[in-house]
Amino acid sequence: MSAPSADAPAAARLRRPSDLRREIFARSGRAARADGPSPSWPDGFVHSQGDRSALMVLLHLASLTARRLLEVAQERRTAAACLEAVMGGVTASDADRALAGSISPDEVTSGLLSVGARLVAVGDPGYPAELLDLSDPPAGLFVRGLPLDELTPRVAMVGARNCSPSGREVAGSLARALAEAGACVVSGGARGIDAAAHRGAMRAGGRTISVLGCGIDILYPGQNRELLEEIAGSGAVVSEYPPGTPAEPFRFPARNRIVAGLGRALVVVEGAKGSGSMITADHALEVGREVFAVPGPVTSPLAAVPLELIRDGATLVRGPDDLLGDLGLSRAPAADGSGDRTLPPSERAVWDALTTAMAADSLARAAGISLPETMSALVALELRGRVRQAGGRYERRMEGGRA
């Protein structure tokens, strides 16, 4: 297809990512970031051990957000000089100034070592360069697990905490496919879609990164403590917050920008209107990441964010093949032969008739076979992992979609 002329009507032109970004931000009532370059961290911001110690203190100060610290760094140039500005009353709140005077970098280092964590400062070899696309990249990340530069390529996935069973299954299936294709799955460690994405990647023997909205030593939410420990053992858990920082609501939108920034693309699986899923999608669009969305029923509140994103130009994802194809990734063939299309006649009849969630008797009539034959076929298909029972009805599983 040839490129449209510069004077082509706006409606006739394909929208570029920058066009889509401006449109979404205009609807949300927020100004999109200007196309000009944002401030960047000065070379040598963390050059000496004194700078590293100063950064450990600076990262504790709530009034010195990443953006504000970046602004101060434009003038002061080093972390140590920024801390001097804090202690001299030039920046940060009075409370944070008092807090800064009470923090011992050695004690912070001991706390990190006690949980197997480390500080990766901007400019360090292990600092993800992708985060520098953000308008407010963190000055440092606390990391447990593998070096982040070993966990590439990365694809982020987010969605509803109170997700549906089908949403959980879709997220797990997509994450498993990404892992089988060699990608690292990035998410936020929350219950629901986040947890399903992490588990799907690990069950495929892949790697995953969880970005916390609290201190690196706090495994939140508590119900995912074992999951987060498993992620730290095989992938990485990261946070911009130092040890002891509690999980508070305002930290999670900030966390979402890191989830979006780490991935080369973002996949949204379910999200109610006004949820963190849209916040993460906004961040992804702002830094030029491709956004994918899994559609849901128009009557479902959980489909609000994916459907809005698709309407606005996000790429619709029907399953793993769509996602991998659009990302240019190839999944390794299943070692257990689950991709075999050959089914016995009764199972094939039931599978072909099961186009929506159905009760067993209705399915038997649709398949044209007896109820006992239908039940036997359903049991076999369940054992193959191709169908599941939910609320007295049977439905296809996404991972069984290649029967």
Side-chain angles (χ1 to χ4, degrees):
M1 176 184 294
S2 60
S5 63
D7 57 352
R13 287 189 286 109
L14 291 175
R15 290 182 293 174
R16 301 184 304 274
S18 58
D19 297 328
L20 177 59
R21 186 160 63 249
R22 280 190 289 269
E23 291 168 16
I24 285 190
F25 273 83
R27 275 196 308 278
S28 67
R30 294 191 286 130
R33 193 176 72 189
D35 290 336
S38 293
S40 58
W41 293 106
D43 291 339
F45 179 69
V46 183
H47 178 69
S48 65
Q49 184 57 46
D51 289 325
R52 188 168 293 273
S53 296
L55 181 60
M56 286 189 179
V57 175
L58 292 168
L59 292 175
H60 283 78
L61 310 183
S63 64
L64 207 60
T65 63
R67 180 68 183 185
R68 178 59 186 144
L69 180 56
L70 180 59
E71 292 170 352
V72 175
Q74 301 309 298
E75 178 182 350
R76 301 287 171 159
R77 310 308 294 174
T78 68
C82 288
L83 182 56
E84 289 177 4
V86 170
M87 301 309 295
V90 177
T91 189
S93 66
D94 292 341
D96 275 347
R97 191 169 305 113
L99 175 61
S102 69
I103 295 172
S104 166
D106 289 341
E107 291 181 3
V108 176
T109 300
S110 296
L112 291 173
L113 292 175
S114 69
V115 295
R118 61 195 180 276
L119 172 63
V120 179
V122 64
D124 286 352
Y127 186 93
E130 297 87 349
L131 293 183
L132 299 178
D133 292 336
L134 297 169
S135 61
D136 55 348
L141 290 175
F142 298 96
V143 181
R144 292 181 61 194
L146 297 176
L148 299 183
D149 54 4
E150 293 182 10
L151 302 174
T152 57
R154 295 183 290 260
V155 176
M157 188 179 303
V158 299
R161 287 178 171 83
N162 298 316
C163 65
S164 69
S166 61
R168 182 180 294 109
E169 181 178 310
V170 168
S173 177
L174 294 175
R176 177 173 178 170
L178 287 167
E180 289 173 347
C184 174
V185 176
V186 182
S187 197
R191 56 190 171 87
I193 296 301
D194 286 13
H198 291 308
R199 290 191 175 103
M202 290 190 293
R203 286 172 181 166
R207 305 289 176 80
T208 184
I209 297 172
S210 177
V211 184
L212 302 181
C214 56
I216 191 64
D217 59 332
I218 299 174
L219 299 179
Y220 180 89
Q223 67 193 76
N224 285 349
R225 184 174 290 109
E226 291 185 7
L227 171 64
L228 292 168
E229 288 285 7
E230 187 177 354
I231 293 171
S234 61
V237 174
V238 306
S239 175
E240 66 178 318
Y241 302 114
T245 305
E248 297 180 274
F250 71 89
R251 302 191 195 280
F252 293 98
R255 178 275 308 272
N256 292 348
R257 82 190 195 287
I258 297 178
V259 172
L262 283 174
R264 56 175 283 195
L266 172 70
V267 183
V268 179
V269 184
E270 295 190 333
K273 186 175 181 179
S275 68
S277 299
M278 182 58 85
I279 294 173
T280 310
D282 279 353
H283 284 304
L285 290 165
E286 186 180 20
V287 295
R289 306 296 190 259
E290 187 168 7
V291 175
F292 297 86
V294 177
V298 296
T299 55
S300 170
L302 292 174
V305 170
L307 292 177
E308 182 175 348
L309 289 171
I310 291 168
R311 181 178 173 84
D312 290 333
T315 302
L316 184 150
V317 173
R318 297 170 297 180
D321 290 343
D322 280 355
L323 181 59
L324 296 184
D326 288 336
L327 290 173
L329 300 173
S330 299
R331 179 166 50 173
D336 58 3
S338 60
D340 184 6
R341 291 179 173 271
T342 304
L343 290 175
S346 61
E347 292 179 41
R348 169 57 63 184
V350 168
W351 176 264
D352 290 343
L354 191 60
T355 56
T356 187
M358 301 175 72
D361 55 347
S362 299
L363 183 55
R365 289 193 295 272
I369 59 177
S370 67
L371 182 58
E373 282 183 292
T374 299
M375 293 305 301
S376 177
L378 285 169
V379 169
L381 288 169
E382 281 190 280
L383 292 174
R384 294 178 188 272
R386 296 185 174 180
V387 304
R388 67 174 180 176
Q389 187 176 9
R393 295 172 178 265
Y394 292 88
E395 60 187 11
R396 293 186 178 188
R397 296 179 64 95
M398 173 171 278
E399 292 184 6
R402 297 183 178 184

